[in-house]
Amino acid sequence: MPINSLYLNCIRGLNGAMARNLGFIFVLLAVTSICNAVAIFHPISESHRSAALELFSPAAGSFSGLEEAYEALRTFEVLGIEKPDVKEHICNSVVDTLSSSSSNSKDLYHALRVNGLLQCKTSKDALTGTVSRLKGGVKEATTLLDYYYSVGGLLLIKDQSSEVDVLLGNADGIFRSIKALSQSDGRWRYSSSNPESSTYAAGVALETLSGVISLAASAIDENLIGTLNNDIVKLFDSIEKYDDGAYYFDDKVIDASGHQGPLSATSAVVRGLTTFASTSGTLNIPEDKILGLARFFLGIGIPGNSKDLYYQIDALSCLENNRVSVPLILSLPATVLSLTSKDKLKVKVNTVLGSTVPPLSVKLMQVFSSGSKDAPVLKQELKFDPKEAIHTMDALPEGVDVGEYVFAFEIVLSDPEHKRKFATGGRTKVPIHVTGVVKVDNAKVAVLEGDSVESEKKLNLPGKNDLTLSANHLQKLHLSFMLTTPLGKPFKPHQALLKLRHETGVEHIFVVGSSGKQFEIALDFLGLVEKFFYLSGQYDIELTVGDAVMENSFLQPLGYVELDLPKVPEKATRPPPQAVSPYLRYGPKAEITHIFRVPEKRPPQEVSFAFLGLVFVPFLAFLVGLLRLGVNLKNFPTSTVPATFAILFHGGIAAVLVLYVFFWLKLDLFTTLKALGLIGIFLMFVGHSTLSHIASTSAKVKSA
């Protein structure tokens, strides 16, 4: 169903304690179900413009392709949004596409659509070559989309330049070739080899045939155009309808262009219809269906992706600018009216894009109360404020009290000539919620024993109460009050509940019954002992009275009653475990105090130093061994290159030792192994060069 905004208005009617108390969530749910039953349609708003700027934001300063660029620029143009500064980059792409011999009909079509919006500097030679290729595409076309892109491209060139010849000499034959793809139900096939028909294809075909009529070098047979009118009538036989009067076309065919849903299919049909109407000058479609199509596009709200937003805005623009029947949208700034604040009934009439409308008047014809199917005819004309462009009624019709109503309005155009151009759709029914303060009288609570009153106390509702009652299982608790509307009529709220909550958290909820204005309930504790699980003690009393149209709805603590119930039998049902409060479950936990192991006693400092000295003993022994062996640098290379490798080799060994030291002090194992691997590769290279030089020198000495 279309999205509606009535829910927000209904929530505004929940004033006072109800809107501030979480206990009324069940009332809010009831209001939601009521308000969502009817859709309220509003013209395009600032929300659509904000969504367009977000969804069509160019990535890295440009769009991904010419098709995406056209959809963005077209949407910006219709919504009156300033176009982004991407003209230079996009125009370069347009010129390249039109000049490239590898561009197909689809590429040329999208380039020409963008060129129509940006007015890029294209040469006559480029357009002439494009016309030649597009005419060749028309001759070689085998599918509906081939005709669509080729004919559409030629039509765009006709609108952009008068210096090239785009007329089709064989328009009659082309028309018949495309018409051959039509089906008996008004839908069309994409090609002769594809037996599946599509509603989306019907819209494409209508737009293509309109282009053929415009490009025809000689007039096309009127009988052919007449058959096309018949196809449109058949197509509308398959149109679907929502309960709120919105009409749409569905398409469940998966084809070369992908799955087409109701939005894309309906948009294609609307574009094809309006294009055909601008060409032929006639469109035999009832105005209620034209208005219903507009309601469909407005009722979907704001689409979540750029493609659907383009479909929506483009279709609404076609409906707004068509030459046959422009739909007018009647909307209400607020559908919740308060008797307390004496709200005025306000009505606005605009086109689908929010433009001003010709002189007209709005009449309130009937007011239906909730559930009624008939109402007297009023014909009350609303006053028009030219500054605000709004129609108002200072006071609601006589007899309108708090409750839910359906107001039936009728738009009357001042100029009879405008009746042919604008579609008003007859009477427009709008749900209205009238709110007010409901009077609470004779509220009292009593403890009864049999038919006699043991104790009775009056209540201040809504207001502060602090009852202290006591009762046993042989007595009853009786509560009563009266509810009347501002006009003195009986009022029955959505919810009237009495809650008793035991001190252990066990709750019991009872519905307060009504008879006319009187609401009352009597709790017989003798029959409730099992339901109360034989739990004696203090029970808090809470009364809830709430309704979507009751401005003083309340959830009121009344006090408590001390119940004395019999002892619990052995086989009696135990009370259910109470849910743990999320504040207790997920709240801060008790602090955990860790007890660490007491560190072991360290050895004396002298022992540590002695051990350190023993660690250095092997190193000293190593040095002594080197001296005894007569280690020297006589064999160290003297040539520049071998000496360099030898120095780097010894430096690498020193780097390994330094790395071990850092590993001991601060580095982790993985970092150390990574560095050691790099140093090891370096040592292999320089070490091999050094040892090769030494081996070569030794061989020369021995041979000498």
Side-chain angles (χ1 to χ4, degrees):
M1 279 292 295
I3 300 170
N4 68 78
S5 60
L6 181 58
Y7 172 72
L8 296 178
N9 290 327
C10 290
I11 294 301
R12 296 189 188 102
L14 297 174
N15 298 327
M18 185 180 71
R20 296 191 297 268
N21 201 305
L22 292 177
F24 270 92
I25 189 169
F26 55 88
V27 178
L28 294 178
L29 292 175
V31 173
T32 304
S33 63
I34 294 169
C35 295
N36 282 338
V38 182
I40 304 299
F41 303 99
H42 295 276
I44 293 299
S45 63
E46 288 298 324
S47 300
H48 288 82
R49 294 178 177 87
S50 300
L53 289 172
E54 180 180 352
L55 295 175
F56 287 110
S57 177
S62 183
F63 297 101
S64 57
L66 290 177
E67 182 178 2
E68 292 76 11
Y70 172 79
E71 292 172 356
L73 296 173
R74 168 66 173 164
T75 304
F76 290 160
E77 181 183 58
V78 174
L79 295 179
I81 302 174
E82 184 178 355
K83 298 174 183 176
D85 187 18
V86 293
K87 180 175 180 179
E88 182 178 356
H89 182 274
I90 296 178
C91 279
N92 291 335
S93 181
V94 168
V95 173
D96 292 342
T97 303
L98 296 179
S99 303
S100 174
S101 59
S102 61
S103 300
N104 56 31
S105 299
K106 181 179 180 181
D107 298 332
L108 296 173
Y109 172 73
H110 290 307
L112 290 168
R113 287 207 301 176
V114 174
N115 187 51
L117 295 176
L118 296 182
Q119 301 297 319
C120 301
K121 295 180 180 179
T122 54
S123 64
K124 180 181 178 181
D125 293 339
L127 290 179
T128 303
T130 302
V131 169
S132 176
R133 280 183 285 168
L134 290 174
K135 286 186 175 181
V138 173
K139 293 179 181 179
E140 299 173 1
T142 57
T143 67
L144 177 60
L145 293 178
D146 291 339
Y147 284 112
Y148 175 72
Y149 293 127
S150 299
V151 172
L154 291 171
L155 191 61
L156 288 166
I157 295 178
K158 179 183 178 182
D159 296 334
Q160 296 171 22
S161 175
S162 59
E163 299 178 353
V164 290
D165 179 21
V166 296
L167 298 181
L168 298 173
N170 187 26
D172 238 33
I174 298 171
F175 195 102
R176 295 177 187 277
S177 297
I178 300 174
K179 185 67 177 65
L181 298 175
S182 64
Q183 299 293 287
S184 59
D185 58 358
R187 296 193 289 180
W188 295 62
R189 294 176 295 162
Y190 282 97
S191 66
S192 56
S193 60
N194 184 2
E196 296 288 346
S197 58
S198 165
T199 306
Y200 182 89
V204 172
L206 289 174
E207 187 177 357
T208 307
L209 291 174
S210 301
V212 174
I213 296 173
S214 300
L215 295 172
S218 58
I220 293 180
D221 187 355
E222 289 295 332
N223 292 328
L224 285 176
I225 299 177
T227 59
L228 196 57
N229 278 313
N230 294 333
D231 289 338
I232 294 175
V233 173
K234 294 176 183 177
L235 179 63
F236 269 81
D237 290 340
S238 64
I239 198 170
E240 299 187 44
K241 182 183 179 182
Y242 285 123
D243 294 337
D244 55 19
Y247 284 93
Y248 69 98
F249 292 94
D250 201 358
D251 205 344
K252 301 177 181 179
V253 177
I254 299 178
D255 44 47
S257 60
H259 175 72
Q260 305 295 345
L263 179 56
S264 58
T266 310
S267 176
V269 172
V270 167
R271 189 165 54 251
L273 284 174
T274 53
T275 305
F276 177 72
S278 65
T279 304
S280 63
T282 59
L283 188 62
N284 298 322
I285 303 298
E287 69 171 29
D288 64 315
K289 292 187 177 180
I290 295 294
L291 188 61
L293 291 171
R295 287 176 173 174
F296 169 74
F297 290 109
L298 294 175
I300 61 176
I302 300 176
N305 61 74
S306 58
K307 199 76 172 179
D308 287 345
L309 181 61
Y310 163 72
Y311 284 140
Q312 179 193 40
I313 300 301
D314 183 63
L316 290 174
S317 176
C318 292
L319 290 172
E320 170 118 340
N321 299 302
N322 82 85
R323 299 180 181 179
V324 179
S325 187
V326 178
L328 298 181
I329 302 300
L330 184 146
S331 61
L332 275 70
T335 56
V336 177
L337 305 177
S338 172
L339 293 177
T340 306
S341 57
K342 298 181 179 179
D343 292 341
K344 295 181 180 180
L345 176 64
K346 298 181 179 181
V347 175
K348 297 186 70 175
V349 180
N350 300 93
T351 63
V352 292
L353 296 181
S355 303
T356 55
V357 295
L360 54 81
S361 60
V362 176
K363 292 183 179 181
L364 177 60
M365 303 302 293
Q366 290 176 292
V367 176
F368 299 88
S369 59
S370 178
S372 67
K373 296 183 179 180
D374 193 17
V377 178
L378 302 176
K379 292 187 178 180
Q380 294 186 15
E381 184 173 339
L382 280 67
K383 296 179 182 179
F384 179 66
D385 183 359
K387 292 183 179 180
E388 299 291 334
I390 197 167
H391 302 261
T392 61
M393 178 178 285
D394 295 334
L396 294 176
E398 184 179 353
V400 174
D401 205 350
V402 295
E404 301 164 14
Y405 297 88
V406 175
F407 283 27
F409 298 96
E410 189 172 294
I411 300 173
V412 181
L413 293 164
S414 301
D415 190 347
E417 290 296 325
H418 289 156
K419 294 181 180 179
R420 301 177 182 178
K421 183 179 179 182
F422 295 93
T424 60
R427 294 187 182 181
T428 302
K429 294 183 178 180
V430 180
I432 300 290
H433 287 67
V434 180
T435 66
V437 175
V438 175
K439 188 177 181 181
V440 185
D441 290 321
N442 298 333
K444 55 187 177 181
V445 62
V447 175
L448 308 178
E449 186 165 354
D451 295 330
S452 62
V453 179
E454 289 293 316
S455 62
E456 183 178 83
K457 294 186 179 181
K458 293 185 177 181
L459 300 174
N460 179 25
L461 298 177
K464 186 176 181 180
N465 297 275
D466 191 12
L467 298 177
T468 302
L469 303 172
S470 60
N472 57 42
H473 65 287
L474 299 176
Q475 295 176 324
K476 300 177 182 178
L477 181 68
H478 182 268
L479 171 70
S480 63
F481 56 89
M482 295 176 63
L483 296 178
T484 54
T485 66
L487 296 185
K489 299 177 182 178
F491 180 75
K492 187 175 182 180
H494 289 150
Q495 303 289 348
L497 305 174
L498 180 67
K499 180 193 291 185
L500 270 65
R501 183 189 298 110
H502 191 255
E503 54 195 9
T504 60
V506 179
E507 294 182 349
H508 306 281
I509 299 177
F510 304 91
V511 177
V512 182
S514 65
S515 176
K517 298 180 181 179
Q518 185 73 21
F519 284 76
E520 61 180 343
I521 184 173
L523 300 181
D524 186 355
F525 294 123
L526 181 61
L528 294 173
V529 288
E530 291 187 4
K531 185 175 182 178
F532 281 29
F533 306 107
Y534 295 90
L535 292 177
S536 299
Q538 181 175 305
Y539 284 81
D540 293 328
I541 307 174
E542 189 174 84
L543 177 63
T544 299
V545 178
D547 194 279
V549 298
M550 182 177 174
E551 294 179 2
N552 57 329
S553 299
F554 58 86
L555 188 154
Q556 187 70 53
L558 304 181
Y560 69 88
V561 58
E562 190 75 28
L563 276 184
D564 182 16
L565 301 180
K567 293 183 179 180
V568 184
E570 292 184 2
K571 297 183 179 181
T573 305
R574 297 297 177 182
Q578 299 303 302
V580 180
S581 171
Y583 295 101
L584 297 177
R585 178 180 296 179
Y586 303 109
K589 303 298 181 182
E591 183 179 355
I592 300 175
T593 304
H594 294 278
I595 301 176
F596 295 96
R597 186 179 63 179
V598 178
E600 298 180 0
K601 186 178 180 181
R602 293 187 177 185
Q605 191 174 12
E606 293 77 6
V607 175
S608 298
F609 282 121
F611 183 77
L612 179 62
L614 290 174
V615 170
F616 282 102
V617 168
F619 180 68
L620 295 174
F622 173 70
L623 295 178
V624 172
L626 291 178
L627 294 174
R628 295 294 299 270
L629 291 173
V631 174
N632 54 67
L633 300 176
K634 292 180 180 180
N635 290 330
F636 197 87
T638 56
S639 302
T640 303
V641 175
T644 301
F645 281 111
I647 293 172
L648 292 175
F649 176 70
H650 287 82
I653 294 175
V656 172
L657 297 176
V658 172
L659 179 63
Y660 288 160
V661 172
F662 276 99
F663 171 65
W664 177 264
L665 295 176
K666 59 185 295 186
L667 296 181
D668 58 77
L669 179 61
F670 295 103
T671 304
T672 304
L673 290 175
K674 190 186 298 182
L676 184 61
L678 296 175
I679 297 174
I681 295 172
F682 173 75
L683 282 174
M684 287 177 61
F685 174 70
V686 297
H688 178 268
S689 300
T690 302
L691 294 176
S692 298
H693 174 73
I694 293 174
S696 176
T697 304
S698 299
K700 290 179 180 179
V701 172
K702 290 179 180 180
S703 62

